[in-house]
């Protein structure tokens, strides 16, 4: 134990011991907290169950039950009691089902780096084949979830640990107390998990130290040294120190992380640049799912490389009212004309600078003027760029212009002809939110001040105009038509397309069975040639690609007037569903709310699945049955599940094979659909060598998806089967071992 | 044991009875007893269970028929009813008809005469002689009224008075097809006999039937039926015959059968209502069936209806003695509903079963179909068992179904009936010079699977009576009328098909003839829940929760942005937008649905940022932004309670933001996502 000489010993050994004991204590605390959480969760679930049973019991009471025989119980010494007899019929047992979550669209998950649980397959198997589990764990580099390895430490524990240790350094001089603490910890080490009281005591201490943290001095280096020596993989002393600094700074109440823009609707709204205001929206929005932070696409392209398809009419020709800025002196005659003239000859583009994160890398065109928007709150010198006026702007407003104004001015080839009114402008307060909003809107509406004012709501167009004048230096110009990509002639296009499609299709048929996942290409100022990822993956460019809409590799869509269910339809031929943004004649873009779409080639994207019913299969385990009859080749359902990488599928497949039950389905060369944990009802379809359904992997608006279709006419109530091993789509191959029968 | 030759076998055909599984092995000289027994065991093993089941079903069908055989297409000759009356039927006449019936005296009231009309005495001889049912014979029947009086003090037992009421000659095994109506003997018992005002206090009255018959065909029997009509037979004739032949000769045995039925019980309750009766008769001086040979067919009450002798008669209480006791054909009696409905179910003395009208319905003339002339047919049933290596043969002289004693009257009908009603067996028809041979084997494919409503099995007890109103049922397509291409009835369809594969039969119940389960809870799906697809929603609850928590996890996204993003995500998930050109419509719908919420939570500018974002991604036009925001403005103005609400919500919103940032600190950042 080394009790001797502890008093004298203040060196690293002692600290190490402290680190260890504190660490153990915190871990234990965490365990307790977790146990409490589990307990409370259990009781709340229990409550829900009770509520539900209450409802059922009420319902049962309301039912008129068939008059049943009554049980008369009579003993001589007790009064007679009568109880109605209720017979409970024997209920046939149902096949085993492991719980799963319903899903109507695929859900991408990351590879699991730790084995979440050691699968249980009955004692016999474990006894027989111990090597299987070993191999399984080896697949995950020996990492099993919940393993009590000592090296585990996360940010939360780290901060708590440092805080807990900090008190020692505070009490350094008080040896006695320290010894006492040490004794306690010693005890705790010995009898792990017995003394709750001490923990609460420690908690108090801990919280006190936390509260005082702000005022106290930074924890001593000794602490970090000790931690670093205990957990060498977590970095050096200096690194830990930095990390601690970083983590604690954020913890100040109300403080937002530095990269977070303040809420524009909140009281703390600050005046920031357009890119900053929109940064969250830009980065999180998935242009393919139309959602923020979608479940399916891990990589989201930011919008600034997208080009306007058409220049909207940005300026209302008419003044918005009698107080419109256009009635300001000199405006009516000059301004609109000036704008138009300017736009005609200005080839400058919108700014593409982003605040941070994304490098302004290959996307940004060289000619693009970059505005330096790195602003600090601190430097707010008033160094007005273009303002001759004397309004009392906020410091926040000012600072934006400071650094960039001169540069922007110099780059701007034809500055807007801005006539300032002779009369001095009113003194208007622009709040941070308003200023930010203005900068956002000016990037969209350009010089349509009336519209901007309308949207801001609290300012007149005259005030907006004046603000605009003040900020003119940094405001982006309206983009002009990008002439980098030469346009093809429309007439030629179709003929080209027909041959092109056929060529590509032939190429696909002829070559190997590899189908690669689609990823929008992004190579500015480069045509989609052999270096384009879409071309090399033998995919068409989609509307999500950054290339020009005239790109040779783009799929043109169909112009069918029929149902798009024959090979006459180029979409059908290319094993694609009709794209509602490309195929405008077949009906894929009509009737959004009804199921009667003339185009039969857009069922997966619309989720026009058939009603399926679950029942014990006639073959094995559970089966899926169709409610209404379907015709041949009709769409039945999409096979949904988690999208996992091929590697992950290999790892999971090992377990599934052992279970003799697999829901893996190859999607393409990169990904596999696994319906084990998440899926939809079609996952219960059994395998058959003489099936009534077939599966087809289709390209649906840039995503590969698995459609299950009727192989023949299917009657009401028939069980659905498809061949796991084979499919029309060349991409399909059953993952894992092929079995005659699936036992779910 | 080599397969026996069927022709060598002489089987004892029980009257109307089921197949009697005794194997007459007389042809084998020295049968090894054990072998025989083992073989018998095998036979029983194969055929006992299904036969028992069909036996039970037969009885059930007699008591509570679920179908009428005469309505079956192949049994049409059993249907004696003509629809001639339908042509003249008018609804308007219903009332007058009923009125006319009311004028008649009620049949319920005790009237002055008890009229008994004897249809026949049915008794199959053990001998396979030529004495088949086609030959007329008769037995003499004596009916006695037995009065059991109250015991007086000195009496040891109850004094019994027997009042003879008459003697009749009753046809033995009559064939209805050759009997003219009105040719049945009948008896009248005056109701005075049942008057209580006799010297003794009568406890109960019962009728005692005593039948004596020689068991041999009477050469000078009453072939001419008109002769014995309404006559009391000279009793000397049959009885003398009986005595003459009293020595135990084969078929010469005079046998006496008796049966007793209570008319009034000791509580003076009338036990015999109007109706048709079949009384099982007990043989008096005959030993009962030897226990050794008794098997499941025979030991029901010692004797069964099908086997033992039975007496059929019609009982009526009539008010008018002058009415000629005419026994009409039974089928026409069926129009008399009052009599048929009152089934005698309380009979005690003898096992009596009200004869099913169907099974005894008299066929009319037209059914004498030319394809099957009445001829004596012998049908050999060859039972194959033990993987078709063993067989036993039985022969029958009639066209009754051996399992349910239904008289099929035609070979074709018989085969069809066997095939359709007794599908636990496989029947194959083989033509035979003397009639027909039917190979019977066990249908291994018979699974007895339930094809009814699965709900009936799985529903909780008392479900049928627990409804508070109409209850939905699972949609099951049952074929009520199926008119497939009918081939001409021909016996060839029963021949064993060469390919061994029976013709593909259409299932008669298709559709959802199984119980479905909820995919989430594995609970049985009730019929009223069939229409709702339990996973129809594009945004299941967990996914909605997931997207909110996932957005909430971001550390570098402010609370206003989070709120708008969450709302928008839920909106997109709910509506499932899939194309760019839906976005403008989606934005407007978003305003429509979430506008008030956005205003109340003070998120308008964040929403505007969102719209600009959509515009930046080239998904909406500025016109959409303008319209959406204008709509928002309108909403803002029409929300009256806004001013007060704003302050508080503002505070909560910000407070919420702080807490969420702290609690979720360090989880995720958008820059991490985008890189």
């Amino acid at each position: 134990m080394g009790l001797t000489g502890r008093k004298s010993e203040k060196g690293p050994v002692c600290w190490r011991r402290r680190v260890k004991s504190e660490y153990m204590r915190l871990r234990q605390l965490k365990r307790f907290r977790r146990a409490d959480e589990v307990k409370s969760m259990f009781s709340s679930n229990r409550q829900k169950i009770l509520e539900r049973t209450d409802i059922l019991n009420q319902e049962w009471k309301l039912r008129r039950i068939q008059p049943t025989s009554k049980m008369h119980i009579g003993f001589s010494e007790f009064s007679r009691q009568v109880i109605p007899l209720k017979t409970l019929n024997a209920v046939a047992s149902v096949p085993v089902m492991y719980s799963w979550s319903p899903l109507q669209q695929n859900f991408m998950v990351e590879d699991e780096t730790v084995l979440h649980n050691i699968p249980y397959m009955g004692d016999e198997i474990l006894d027989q084949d111990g090597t299987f589990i070993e191999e399984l764990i080896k697949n995950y580099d020996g990492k099993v979830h919940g393993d009590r390895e000592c090296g585990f430490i996360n940010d939360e524990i780290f901060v708590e640990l440092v805080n807990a240790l900090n008190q020692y350094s505070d009490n350094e001089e008080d040896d006695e107390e320290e010894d006492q603490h040490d004794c306690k910890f010693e005890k705790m080490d010995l009898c792990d998990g017995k003394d709750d009281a001490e923990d609460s005591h420690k908690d108090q201490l801990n919280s006190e130290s936390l509260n005082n943290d702000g005022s106290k001095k930074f924890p001593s280096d000794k602490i970090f040294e000790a931690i670093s020596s205990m957990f060498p993989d977590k970095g050096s002393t200096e690194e830990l120190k930095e990390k601690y600094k970083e983590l604690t700074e954020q913890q100040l109440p109300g403080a937002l992380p530095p990269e977070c823009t303040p809420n524009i609707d909140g009281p703390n709204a600050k005046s920031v640049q357009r890119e900053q205001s929109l940064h969250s929206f830009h980065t999180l929005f998935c242009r393919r799912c139309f959602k923020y932070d979608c479940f399916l696409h891990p990589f989201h392209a930011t919008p600034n490389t997208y080009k306007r398809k058409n220049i909207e009419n940005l300026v209302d020709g008419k003044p918005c009212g009698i107080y419109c800025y256009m009635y300001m002196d000199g405006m009516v005659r000059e301004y609109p004309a000036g704008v138009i003239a300017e736009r005609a000859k200005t080839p400058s583009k919108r700014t593409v600078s982003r605040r941070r994160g994304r490098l302004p890398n290959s996307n940004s065109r060289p000619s693009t003027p970059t505005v330096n928007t790195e602003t600090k709150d601190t430097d707010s010198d008033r160094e007005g760029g273009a303002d001759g006026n004397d309004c009392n702007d906020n410091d926040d407003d000012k600072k934006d212009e400071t650094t960039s104004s001169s540069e922007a001015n110099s780059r701007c080839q034809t500055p807007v002809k801005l006539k300032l009114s002779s009369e001095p402008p009113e003194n208007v307060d622009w709040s941070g939110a308003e200023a930010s909003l203005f900068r956002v809107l000016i990037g969209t509406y350009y010089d349509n001040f009336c519209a901007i004012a309308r949207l801001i709501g609290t300012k007149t167009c005259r005030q907006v105009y004046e603000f605009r004048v003040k900020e003119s230096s940094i405001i982006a110009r309206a983009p002009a038509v990008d002439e980098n990509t030469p346009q093809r002639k429309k007439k030629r296009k179709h003929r080209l397309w027909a041959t092109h499609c056929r060529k590509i299709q032939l190429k696909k048929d002829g070559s190997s069975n590899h189908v690669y996942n689609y990823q929008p290409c992004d190579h500015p100022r480069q045509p989609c040639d052999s270096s384009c990822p879409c071309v090399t993956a033998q995919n068409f460019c989609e509307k999500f690609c950054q290339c020009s809409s005239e790109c040779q590799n783009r799929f043109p869509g169909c112009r069918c007037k029929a149902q798009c269910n024959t090979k006459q339809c180029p979409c059908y031929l290319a094993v694609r569903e009709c794209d509602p943004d490309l195929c405008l004649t077949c009906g894929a873009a009509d009737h959004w709310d009804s199921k009667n779409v003339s185009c039969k080639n857009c069922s997966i994207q619309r989720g026009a699945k058939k009603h399926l019913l679950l029942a014990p299969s006639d073959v094995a385990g559970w089966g899926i049955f169709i409610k209404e009859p379907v015709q041949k080749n009709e769409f039945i359902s999409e096979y949904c599940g988690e999208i996992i990488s091929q590697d992950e599928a290999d790892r999971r497949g090992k377990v599934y094979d052992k279970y003799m039950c697999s829901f893996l389905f190859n999607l393409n060369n990169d990904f596999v659909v696994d319906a084990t944990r998440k899926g939809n009802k079609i996952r219960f379809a059994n395998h058959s060598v003489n099936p009534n359904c077939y599966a087809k992997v289709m390209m649906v608006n840039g995503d590969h998806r698995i459609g299950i279709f009727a192989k023949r006419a299917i009657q009401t109530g028939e069980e659905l089967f498809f061949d796991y091993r084979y499919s029309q789509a060349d991409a399909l191959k059953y993952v894992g071992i092929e079995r005659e029968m699936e036992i779910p | 044991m080599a397969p026996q030759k069927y022709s060598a076998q002489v089987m004892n055909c029980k009257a109307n009875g089921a197949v009697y599984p005794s194997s007459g092995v007389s042809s084998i000289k020295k049968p090894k007893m054990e072998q025989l027994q083992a073989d018998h065991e095998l036979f029983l093993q194969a055929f006992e269970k299904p036969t028992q089941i069909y036996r039970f079903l037969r009885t059930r069908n007699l008591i509570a028929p679920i179908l009428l055989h005469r309505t079956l297409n192949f049994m049409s000759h059993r249907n004696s009813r003509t629809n001639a009356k339908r042509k003249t039927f008018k609804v308007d006449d219903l009332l007058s008809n009923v009125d006319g019936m009311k004028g008649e005296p009620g049949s319920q009231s005790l009237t002055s005469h008890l009229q008994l009309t004897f249809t026949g005495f049915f008794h199959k001889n053990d001998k396979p002689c030529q004495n088949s049912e086609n030959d007329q014979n008769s037995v003499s029947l004596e009916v006695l009224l037995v009065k059991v009086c109250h015991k007086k003090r000195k009496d040891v037992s109850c004094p019994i008075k027997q009042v003879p009421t008459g003697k009749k000659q009753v046809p033995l095994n009559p064939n209805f097809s050759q009997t003219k109506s009105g040719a049945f003997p009948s008896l009248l018992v005056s109701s005075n006999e049942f008057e209580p005002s006799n010297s003794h206090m009568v406890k109960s009255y019962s009728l005692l039937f005593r039948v004596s018959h020689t068991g041999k065909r009477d050469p000078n029997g009453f072939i001419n039926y008109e002769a014995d009509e309404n006559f009391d037979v000279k009793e000397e004739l049959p009885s003398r015959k009986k005595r003459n032949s009293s020595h135990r000769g084969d078929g010469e045995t005079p046998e006496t059968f008796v049966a007793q039925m209570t008319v009034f019980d000791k509580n003076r309750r009338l036990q015999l209502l109007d109706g048709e009766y079949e009384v099982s008769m007990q043989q008096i001086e005959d030993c009962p069936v030897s226990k050794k040979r008794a098997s499941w067919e025979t030991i029901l009450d010692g004797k069964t209806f099908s086997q033992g002798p039975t007496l059929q008669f019609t009982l009526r209480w009539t008010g008018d003695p002058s009415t000629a006791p005419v026994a009409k054909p039974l089928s026409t009696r069926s129009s008399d509903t009052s009599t048929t409905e009152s089934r005698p179910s309380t009979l005690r003395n003898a096992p009596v079963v009200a004869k099913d009208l169907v099974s005894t319905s008299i066929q009319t003339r037209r059914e004498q179909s030319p394809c099957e002339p009445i001829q004596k047919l012998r049908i050999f049933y060859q039972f194959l068992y033990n993987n078709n290596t063993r067989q036993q043969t039985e022969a029958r002289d009639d066209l009754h179904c051996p399992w349910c004693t239904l008289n099929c009257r035609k070979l074709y009908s018989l085969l069809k009936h066997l095939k359709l009603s007794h599908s636990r067996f496989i029947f194959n028809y083989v033509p035979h010079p003397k009639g027909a041979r039917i190979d019977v084997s066990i249908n291994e494919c018979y699974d007895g699977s339930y094809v009814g409503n699965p709900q009936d099995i799985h529903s909780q007890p008392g479900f049928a009576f627990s409804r508070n109103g109409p209850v939905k049922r699972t949609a099951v397509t049952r074929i009520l009328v199926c008119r497939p291409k009918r081939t001409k009835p021909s016996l060839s369809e029963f021949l064993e098909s060469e390919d061994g594969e029976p013709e593909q039969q259409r299932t008669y119940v298709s559709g959802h003839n199984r119980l479905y389960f909820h995919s989430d809870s594995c609970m049985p799906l009730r019929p009223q829940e069939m229409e709702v697809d339990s996973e129809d929603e594009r945004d299941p609850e967990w996914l909605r929760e997931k997207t909110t928590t996932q957005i909430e996890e971001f550390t570098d996204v402010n609370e206003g942005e989070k709120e708008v993003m969450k709302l928008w995500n839920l909106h997109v998930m709910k509506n499932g937008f899939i194309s760019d050109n839906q976005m403008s419509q989606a934005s407007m719908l978003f305003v429509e649905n979430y506008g008030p919420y956005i205003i109340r939570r003070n998120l308008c500018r964040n929403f505007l940022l969102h719209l600009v974002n959509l515009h930046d991604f080239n998904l909406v036009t500025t016109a959409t932004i303008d319209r959406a925001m204008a709509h928002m403005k309108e909403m803002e103005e029409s929300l009256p309670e806004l001013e007060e609400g704003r302050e508080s919500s503002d505070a909560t919103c910000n407070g919420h933001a702080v807490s969420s940032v702290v609690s979720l600190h360090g989880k995720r950042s958008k820059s991490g996502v985008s890189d």
Side-chain angles (χ1 to χ4, degrees), chain A residues 10-67:
Chain A
K10 298 271 179 250
V13 181
C14 174
W15 274 108
R16 275 190 69 132
R17 197 185 301 128
R18 282 175 188 159
V19 168
K20 192 176 176 189
S21 65
E22 278 298 310
Y23 175 70
M24 296 308 282
R25 188 183 62 81
L26 288 169
R27 285 296 300 268
Q28 199 187 14
L29 211 72
K30 237 178 137 56
R31 261 204 306 284
F32 282 138
R33 219 177 295 150
R34 172 119 188 93
D36 281 347
E37 264 170 39
V38 169
K39 260 183 233 163
S40 70
M41 191 54 82
F42 174 80
S43 57
S44 75
N45 277 342
R46 186 86 211 138
Q47 194 59 38
K48 274 183 201 161
I49 292 171
L50 282 177
E51 281 166 20
R52 182 83 193 123
T53 26
D54 271 353
I55 294 170
L56 285 176
N57 283 337
Q58 289 302 319
E59 195 181 317
W60 186 258
K61 268 177 204 159
L62 286 176
R63 276 185 172 190
R64 276 188 290 142
I65 306 296
Q66 180 178 14

Side-chain angles (χ1 to χ4, degrees), chain B residues 120 151 183 291 392 561 573:
Chain B
K151 199 159 64 175
K291 280 287 179 212
Q392 299 209 10
E561 290 165 344
M573 277 163 67

Side-chain angles (χ1 to χ4, degrees), chain A residues 109-121:
Chain A
V109 293
E110 287 170 9
D111 287 10
E112 284 165 1
T113 50
V114 291
L115 182 63
H116 272 226
N117 65 314
I118 293 174
Y120 177 74
M121 328 204 170

